[in-house]
Each structure stands twice: as structure tokens, then as C-alpha cells.
Amino acid sequence: MSDKLTPQTIVPFLADIFERRGGEEYLGEPVTMAEHMLQGAALAERGGMPERIIVAALLHDIGHFTSEFGTYHPDDTHDRHHEEAGAEVLEEFFPTVVTDCVRHHVAAKRYLCATKPEYFKRLSIASVHSLNLQGGPMSAEEVAEFEHNPNLEEIVQVRYLDDAGKHADMETPGFSHFAPMVQRVVDAHCGVH
Ligand code: FE
């Protein structure tokens, strides 16, 4: 249960989810859930991006596993909710910039489709399909409101990493490689020294 998790146990808890559940299918993509998230994190690390971006990419789809946190809702299986559910289970331990990247990674796709004409072409077939279920490109009003988020730049970066992390044959380090970094972000947020 998430209310029993602490800054000392959250990272091993997340590692365990990757270990036990990471092999599950990422619907319609040629990668497992763990491969998808590890690829995004590895690409961010290779690109020299800040730890908050690497960690956000690593955890952006954790909402697919919220039943593990004991906060299950019947709606969790619906794609429109995994991003909100993921942000909710992380927000006790991670800074807003990380949870915003998780919470808005689906909205960011709708945002980029509305504002960057070339963006749509990089989406996978499964992602185009889910875009339609998610409401299609944002309206001008939605774009204006989305741009008010102070973490817009990070949110967009993580969205690009989400789209990039779908390679059938990419080698990445495992979760354990990123665990010390995740712990640093948690400790900085929770005031653990
Ligand atoms: Fe994703």
C-alpha cells in the first residue's frame, strides 16, 4: 500500500514492479512495458539530460501498475487514466516537475499534434490510434492553457522520449542502473540527507 511506503522503500518497491511486471506487453508496440520505460530513460541519459528528465521518462507509465500501490480503481485499466493514476502514486516522493511529466504525457501528445505539424509523423500506429481515443489534437484554448504549465519544457522532453522508446532491438541498462539516481531525486524532494 502506498501509505506504508517511505522515502527509503519507494525505490526498491518500484524496482520490484519493474522486475515482476515489466515483461508485460505495451499494447500494440514491439517492446515490453519495462523495455519502453528503460529505453526512454537510457536515451535521456545518453543525451546528457538532467536527472529529473531521466527519472520522469523511467517512471512515466508506472500508472499502468497502480494496482501494485493498493490504490486500485476500476477505471485504472482505461487509457485515459493511467497518466493521472501514475502521478498520484508518485507525488508523495517526487517533485512536481517529475509528476507533471507523468501526469501530462498523454496531453503532451495532443499538444504537440496541435502545435508541431511534423510531430504527428513520428507517432507509432498504436499511438495514432490512442490519440483518437484521447481526444485528438488540442484545441487552441487547450493549447493556451497547457502552455501555462511552468514545467512545459520538461513535459515535452519526456513526451519525445516516450515516443522514442519503442525500439524492438535496443540494449539498455536495467532498473538497478537508474535506482541510485531515482533515490537521489526522492531524497532531495523528501529532505533526506
Ligand atoms: Fe509511454
Side-chain angles (χ1 to χ4, degrees):
M1 298 283 285
S2 61
D3 58 358
K4 296 208 182 100
L5 289 168
T6 69
Q8 286 76 34
T9 60
I10 180 68
V11 180
F13 182 83
L14 292 167
D16 182 60
I17 293 175
F18 268 72
E19 179 76 24
R20 287 185 297 102
R21 306 280 310 270
E24 291 177 16
E25 186 185 354
Y26 183 34
L27 204 64
E29 304 287 358
V31 287
T32 66
M33 289 301 308
E35 284 167 348
H36 170 58
M37 295 197 281
L38 288 165
Q39 286 183 15
L43 290 166
E45 187 175 47
R46 284 181 203 169
M49 293 183 187
E51 292 195 341
R52 63 184 185 276
I53 297 290
I54 301 170
V55 168
L58 180 69
L59 301 177
H60 79 272
D61 270 338
I62 202 71
H64 287 296
F65 303 114
T66 44
S67 60
E68 300 283 341
F69 291 80
T71 54
Y72 177 76
H73 298 290
D75 287 347
D76 282 354
T77 52
H78 195 295
D79 188 63
R80 274 164 60 189
H81 298 283
H82 83 274
E83 65 274 25
E84 180 61 37
E88 281 175 16
V89 296
L90 295 176
E91 63 194 356
E92 187 179 349
F93 303 107
F94 291 87
T96 306
V97 60
V98 169
T99 54
D100 269 1
C101 291
V102 174
R103 176 171 282 118
H104 299 297
H105 78 269
V106 172
K109 178 169 71 171
R110 299 184 54 233
Y111 170 74
L112 287 167
C113 284
T115 57
K116 302 252 186 299
E118 74 283 3
Y119 173 77
F120 183 81
K121 286 182 239 150
R122 74 165 74 196
L123 292 179
S124 63
I125 292 165
S127 200
V128 169
H129 176 69
S130 59
L131 171 69
N132 296 328
L133 297 175
Q134 289 152 355
M138 282 185 175
S139 67
E141 292 77 23
E142 288 173 310
V143 165
E145 186 176 341
F146 199 66
E147 288 179 340
H148 279 132
N149 193 307
N151 298 313
L152 178 68
E153 188 183 332
E154 287 88 349
I155 291 166
V156 167
Q157 271 182 303
V158 169
R159 180 66 226 183
Y160 282 132
L161 293 162
D162 184 354
D163 296 319
K166 298 178 179 179
H167 296 283
D169 55 357
M170 179 182 162
E171 289 283 323
T172 73
F175 185 91
S176 61
H177 169 79
F178 297 103
M181 183 187 298
V182 180
Q183 190 69 60
R184 274 197 295 280
V185 173
V186 169
D187 289 349
H189 179 67
C190 297
V192 178
H193 299 290

